[in-house]
Amino acid sequence: MSESALDLMDPKQLRGRSAVVTGSTSGIGLAVAEGLAAAGCNVALSGFGDAAEIEATRQRLAALGVRVTWSPADLSQGEQVRGYVEQAIADFGAVDILVNNAGIQFVAAVEDFPDDKWEKIVALNLSAAFYATKAALPGMKARDWGRIVNIASAHGLTASPFKSAYVSAKHGILGLTKTVALECAEANITCNAICPGYVNTPLVAGQIKDQAKVHNMSEADVVRNVILASQPNKRFAETAEIAAMTLFLCSDAGRSITGVPLSMDGGWTAR
Ligand code: NAD
């Protein structure tokens, strides 16, 4: 009997899997961690923030009936990335799903771009995904199953001025995505990149307020004419949309999708 489409998409099939989600104390990473925990996956959180808030998040997710840990690792340091993934393997017995999400931004013209900001952005937005993938792959290969989802950006496919480090790192992660996909294709391990346009996160909410002051515009005008100027659908994606795509890629429905950048940008890169 052939498989049914709904069975292939059923997130319940992920029950009992274990996931590492980098940068999961806020925004997209937190939504992805929530989605995976709700589907029955153990989750190793990481990222910075208020200790009490992080512990409350950890407990809220654990209340879904899964094991949830948090690592304080600074993921711009390769050794700490390795330690975080190895600890998750020790805690859960396996890492089946790796979501490379942690990322930061800095905006300046190339000639004014501080060297340390360049190094930090490349380290966190690109090299951390390499170190985490390197640490997670041997176990995935041994179990003949794995899912790697890299949260890239529309800026992995196209550039904007003043974002040289971010655009370079995001273009780089698409190269890593394709290479890992090819190396693992026969081991039931997929590796894909999600490329969102603007997503409704606390980071973006802050930018709207700041830009409204700078441009002396209403927040609605800033959203439409400044922040979403390049995004044809003129609305932010919600973090749950990115989490839903991640779950889809992790499901059997996504098992033949590998090595691709999946745009979730309201048409931005269709231009
Ligand atoms: P966010 O600032 O809300 O979350 C970033 C997470 O990374 C946080 O948990 C933070 O604590 C963590 N982090 C930052 N520096 C770290 C470090 N050195 N070590 C460990 N953790 C660290 O950001 P977000 O908007 O949710 O973005 C998440 C990812 O999605 C990033 O890679 C970003 O480039 C990408 N993205 C975001 C948007 C958007 O519009 N928000 C659009 C496209 C792509």
Side-chain angles (χ1 to χ4, degrees):
M1 204 176 73
S2 66
E3 297 167 302
S4 92
L6 287 185
D7 282 349
L8 287 175
M9 287 193 288
D10 189 349
K12 286 197 197 79
Q13 67 194 263
L14 294 176
R15 195 170 286 161
R17 298 281 186 195
S18 295
V20 162
V21 184
T22 73
S24 38
T25 53
S26 89
I28 294 170
L30 177 55
V32 169
E34 285 170 342
L36 289 168
C41 299
N42 301 319
V43 182
L45 303 169
S46 60
F48 304 146
D50 177 75
E53 267 177 42
I54 293 172
E55 177 55 17
T57 298
R58 198 195 64 73
Q59 288 184 18
R60 182 165 53 80
L61 299 194
L64 294 164
V66 294
R67 295 178 62 200
V68 182
T69 59
W70 170 70
S71 163
D74 176 353
L75 301 178
S76 64
Q77 308 293 320
E79 264 313 305
Q80 294 192 38
V81 180
R82 198 188 334 267
Y84 162 46
V85 175
E86 284 175 355
Q87 187 61 50
I89 293 169
D91 290 340
F92 302 145
V95 167
D96 307 297
I97 296 167
L98 169 64
V99 182
N100 289 306
N101 165 78
I104 48 170
Q105 173 65 284
F106 188 83
V107 178
V110 170
E111 63 271 32
D112 302 324
F113 212 94
D115 295 351
D116 61 332
K117 294 284 185 203
W118 170 276
E119 300 290 346
K120 190 93 178 172
I121 289 174
V122 172
L124 183 65
N125 296 18
L126 177 57
S127 300
F130 161 73
Y131 287 113
T133 302
K134 188 174 175 183
L137 268 182
M140 291 179 179
K141 283 187 172 169
R143 288 184 304 283
D144 202 33
W145 197 92
R147 294 286 187 270
I148 301 171
V149 180
N150 296 322
I151 307 300
S153 166
H155 281 120
L157 296 161
T158 190
S160 295
F162 312 120
K163 296 183 176 176
S164 55
Y166 187 88
V167 168
S168 301
K170 294 297 186 183
H171 274 66
I173 206 161
L174 295 191
L176 177 67
T177 301
K178 293 176 193 176
T179 308
V180 172
L182 293 177
E183 290 185 19
C184 301
E186 288 191 54
N188 289 319
I189 299 166
T190 67
C191 181
N192 292 291
I194 298 178
C195 297
Y198 281 99
V199 184
N200 187 12
T201 66
L203 200 87
V204 172
Q207 281 181 30
I208 297 169
K209 283 198 187 332
D210 292 348
Q211 298 265 12
K213 275 191 205 130
V214 171
H215 294 283
N216 196 21
M217 289 163 87
S218 71
E219 290 189 14
D221 283 347
V222 164
V223 167
R224 188 176 174 80
N225 300 323
V226 180
I227 297 198
L228 295 181
S230 311
Q231 196 157 309
N233 69 343
K234 301 294 176 196
R235 73 163 186 82
F236 295 113
E238 296 299 327
T239 56
E241 296 173 45
I242 315 303
M245 177 63 87
T246 304
L247 287 182
F248 182 83
L249 290 171
C250 291
S251 74
D252 277 341
R255 69 190 172 207
S256 299
I257 304 172
T258 196
V260 289
L262 289 147
S263 290
M264 297 184 72
D265 63 7
W268 180 345
T269 50
R271 288 181 195 281

